[in-house]
Amino acid sequence: MERIVVVGASLAGLHAAEALRAGGFDGSLTIVGDERPLPYDRPPLSKQVLAGTQQLAEIVLRQSSTIDVNWERGVAATGLDLSNRELQLADSRSLGFDGIVIAVGAAPRRLPGTETYANVCELRTDEDVRRLRALVEAGARHVTVVGAGFIGCEVAATCRGLGLDVTIVEPLPAPLARVLGTEVGHVVAGLHVEHGVEVRLGIGVSSFEGEGEGEGEGEGSRCTGVRLSDGSLVETDVVVVGIGVIPNTGWLEGSGLTLDDGVVCDETTLAAPGVVAAGDVARWPNPTYGGELMRVEHWEHAINMGTHAARRLLAEARGEPGEPFAAVPWFWSDQYDRKLQLAGRVRPDDEVALVAGSYAERRFCVLYGREGRVTGVLAMNMPAKVVRYRRALADGVAWADALADAGA
Amino acid sequence: MRVVVDFDLCESNAVCMGIAPEVFEVRDDDFLYVLQEEPDESLRPKIEEAVARCPKQAISIEG
Ligand SMILES: Cc1cc2nc3c(=O)[nH]c(=O)nc-3n(C[C@H](O)[C@H](O)[C@H](O)COP(=O)(O)OP(=O)(O)OC[C@H]3O[C@@H](n4cnc5c(N)ncnc54)[C@H](O)[C@@H]3O)c2cc1C
Ligand code: SF4
């Protein structure tokens, strides 16, 4: 293998490139990414960068300057020709390769009917956060957050910190209910209410009201209110939509790779001979969960899977079989002065047991369980607990034993 | 080898502790404690991994 191309110049892609070099690959290594700036870290976008306490230059990924690669930044990959081993680029060039790492991540789902409004934003890129900050600096007073997932909750918390009035609208009965279940979701709702956020749960958005309609996309037309499914109107200056992401696989249609909510790989991260995928875009049968196909949209996962995928490619070059990639997902989220951490694979209807602290103090640890086994651990401001349980989760822990140990 | 943590950056998320519990410990007070500031050379690979995984890039190795 002499030429390797990494598509996607972000967390998974850069860690893959770093691991390729660390693994002894000394051939030609090119990273293609459609964003123009030096690759940066995304978690601070909804936290410090939105708050104005960190600038883009401070969140540039270390690998941007440490790895020996050819950069193709600001140009998208538009097609993959596996039989000729060529990657097509948006500027009509194509790059030949022997091995390829697909690490193109995911893009925010947009709400239909909002495309024309200049003040309706998603939050995924530095450009998104600059646009949002510009609206705040231009004097916005009220922000409506549609969708109380992790990003929506963080945006709400950061905007309160900036002194803005905030309304969260969420069709489910609690924030984060899909990830944490309703019991813990209600604790998160309480946290936001305590900080003065108006939290509207169990209610959907029916339409957007605006002024200056009929103009081009994002030019001049402004959303002035969000009409909810109960008929009420939330008057607002800015809308932030956080309703999940879709893997960036459009450009791979017809390439022969299996696409199904992401690039589908085998348990070693291989999607086809010489092709590996990692990070938010990759779906693979996770051996830790009996081979259940999953796609994980977490920071640490992108690092681990990117690194693993690189090693997988090098193993193939040496004619060796790859190792399976087994993972216990882990995520953190900062909201106000609270840190949430979740490890494991939780379903909303799993059993919940409080094993330390209390909901009222907003400092606690809960275990989730199903069919007699622990499925996950979540803590608010008790990070060490999550680390300890996470190790046990990989080995599999009986629910009864875990509760007995915790004295719960 | 000397392990240095920038405590202004550290947010006590305990990632480093998951990787090298011999060196890093987040206690019940939510603060990170460096258990060995000059750990044995044999721990270097683990500490390098912690450096790479720290979400705040708060850990560095001197020497
Ligand atoms: C605002 C925000 C806050 C977050 N906070 C947390 C957190 O607190 N904790 C946590 O665990 N996780 C968090 N995450 C999730 C974490 O950042 C992601 O899981 C991680 O960025 C995934 O890395 P990736 O490299 O797989 O994909 P991405 O970071 O999405 O990178 C993919 C790159 O590929 C580029 N690309 C896409 N298509 C093409 C193409 N056709 N050609 C070339 N390039 C292309 C994209 O523009 C992008 O630069 C957060 C994410 C966001 C957006
Ligand atoms: S991983 Fe980094 S931020 Fe987290 S506790 Fe360790 S030093 Fe602090």
Side-chain angles (χ1 to χ4, degrees):
Chain A
M1 214 172 264
E2 276 155 27
R3 299 162 305 168
I4 297 180
V5 176
V6 174
V7 194
S10 186
L11 197 60
L14 264 58
H15 278 269
E18 186 175 53
L20 285 168
R21 287 299 190 215
F25 176 70
D26 57 5
S28 133
L29 180 57
T30 304
I31 302 186
V32 178
D34 62 0
E35 292 186 82
R36 209 167 285 280
L38 281 176
Y40 54 88
D41 203 24
R42 284 179 215 284
L45 294 180
S46 48
K47 309 171 181 85
Q48 296 86 348
V49 181
L50 180 57
T53 57
Q54 266 189 333
Q55 306 296 316
L56 182 62
E58 296 171 78
I59 60 165
V60 167
L61 292 171
R62 169 178 55 81
Q63 291 84 357
S64 305
S65 58
T66 58
I67 33 177
D68 173 23
V69 294
N70 312 314
W71 292 101
E72 290 286 355
R73 282 207 309 275
V75 60
T78 49
L80 181 64
D81 179 345
L82 282 179
S83 45
N84 291 315
R85 302 262 132 191
E86 269 184 3
L87 179 75
Q88 277 108 40
L89 302 184
D91 57 10
S92 316
R93 283 179 300 146
S94 58
L95 296 176
F97 62 83
D98 306 307
I100 188 164
V101 181
I102 298 172
V104 288
R109 214 178 272 280
R110 298 182 79 173
L111 269 179
T114 60
E115 295 84 355
T116 55
Y117 294 122
N119 60 337
V120 177
C121 319
E122 288 85 27
L123 189 48
R124 182 81 192 175
T125 65
D126 81 298
E127 228 169 287
D128 294 337
V129 73
R130 257 188 281 137
R131 181 155 156 236
L132 188 49
R133 275 199 60 84
L135 289 162
V136 171
E137 278 158 19
R141 292 294 323 141
H142 181 274
V143 176
T144 304
V145 174
V146 179
F150 281 111
I151 295 197
C153 286
E154 289 190 355
V155 167
T158 307
C159 286
R160 280 303 294 150
L162 289 168
L164 299 164
D165 293 331
V166 178
T167 303
I168 296 180
V169 181
E170 167 59 56
L172 292 177
L176 296 163
R178 206 170 282 123
V179 221
L180 307 180
T182 41
E183 181 172 324
V184 178
H186 282 306
V187 182
V188 176
L191 178 69
H192 286 275
V193 169
E194 254 164 40
H195 282 86
V197 173
E198 183 191 21
V199 182
R200 308 284 306 263
L201 299 168
I203 198 164
V205 169
S206 61
S207 65
F208 294 87
E209 311 215 333
E211 53 185 32
E213 270 141 302
E215 295 166 46
E217 173 157 346
E219 280 170 21
S221 58
R222 282 183 64 250
C223 172
T224 53
V226 181
R227 181 74 64 188
L228 304 186
S229 48
D230 67 352
S232 60
L233 182 74
V234 180
E235 288 183 30
T236 198
D237 303 315
V238 179
V239 179
V240 181
V241 180
I243 53 169
V245 295
I246 307 170
N248 288 321
T249 53
W251 64 283
L252 292 166
E253 298 286 347
S255 65
L257 296 180
T258 307
L259 306 178
D260 177 12
D261 181 34
V263 174
V264 180
C265 316
D266 71 7
E267 62 169 7
T268 71
T269 73
L270 196 72
V275 184
V276 290
D280 280 15
V281 77
R283 195 147 169 252
W284 93 114
N286 187 346
T288 307
Y289 297 90
E292 182 190 336
L293 266 185
M294 44 177 93
R295 200 167 59 72
V296 176
E297 300 164 357
H298 301 166
W299 186 89
E300 192 207 41
H301 175 79
I303 295 180
N304 292 347
M305 198 175 189
T307 305
H308 189 97
R311 293 184 185 145
R312 174 66 185 96
L313 208 51
L314 294 178
E316 187 182 278
R318 291 192 299 266
E320 294 166 11
E323 303 273 324
F325 176 64
V328 175
W330 175 85
F331 183 93
W332 86 94
S333 172
D334 301 338
Q335 299 170 29
Y336 312 102
D337 59 349
R338 301 288 110 172
K339 289 182 220 301
L340 278 91
Q341 296 199 4
L342 173 68
R345 178 82 168 162
V346 173
R347 302 213 195 121
D349 56 346
D350 284 355
E351 263 182 86
V352 181
L354 183 71
V355 293
S358 76
Y359 292 154
E361 287 168 75
R362 312 268 182 252
R363 186 165 188 276
F364 62 87
C365 176
V366 297
L367 293 180
Y368 293 89
R370 164 184 294 267
E371 292 160 6
R373 313 216 58 89
V374 179
T375 53
V377 51
L378 171 114
M380 188 180 272
N381 280 25
M382 284 194 165
K385 288 254 186 290
V386 176
V387 170
R388 289 200 192 98
Y389 279 110
R390 186 184 183 191
R391 266 180 255 148
L393 280 173
D395 306 330
V397 201
W399 180 243
D401 295 347
L403 294 195
D405 276 356
Chain B
M1 163 177 57
R2 207 181 151 73
V3 177
V4 181
V5 173
D6 182 338
F7 286 97
D8 290 335
L9 290 176
C10 171
E11 55 180 23
S12 296
N13 52 36
V15 172
C16 50
M17 173 178 167
I19 300 165
E22 307 87 339
V23 181
F24 304 101
E25 182 172 291
V26 174
R27 298 208 182 128
D28 286 343
D29 62 6
D30 286 346
F31 286 110
L32 170 68
Y33 293 82
V34 178
L35 303 178
Q36 312 180 42
E37 287 191 350
E38 295 187 14
D40 191 78
E41 200 53 33
S42 63
L43 286 167
R44 188 181 284 270
K46 275 190 171 181
I47 296 168
E48 279 174 352
E49 194 184 335
V51 170
R53 308 276 149 119
C54 167
K56 303 307 292 178
Q57 306 193 359
I59 313 173
S60 51
I61 299 175
E62 290 175 0

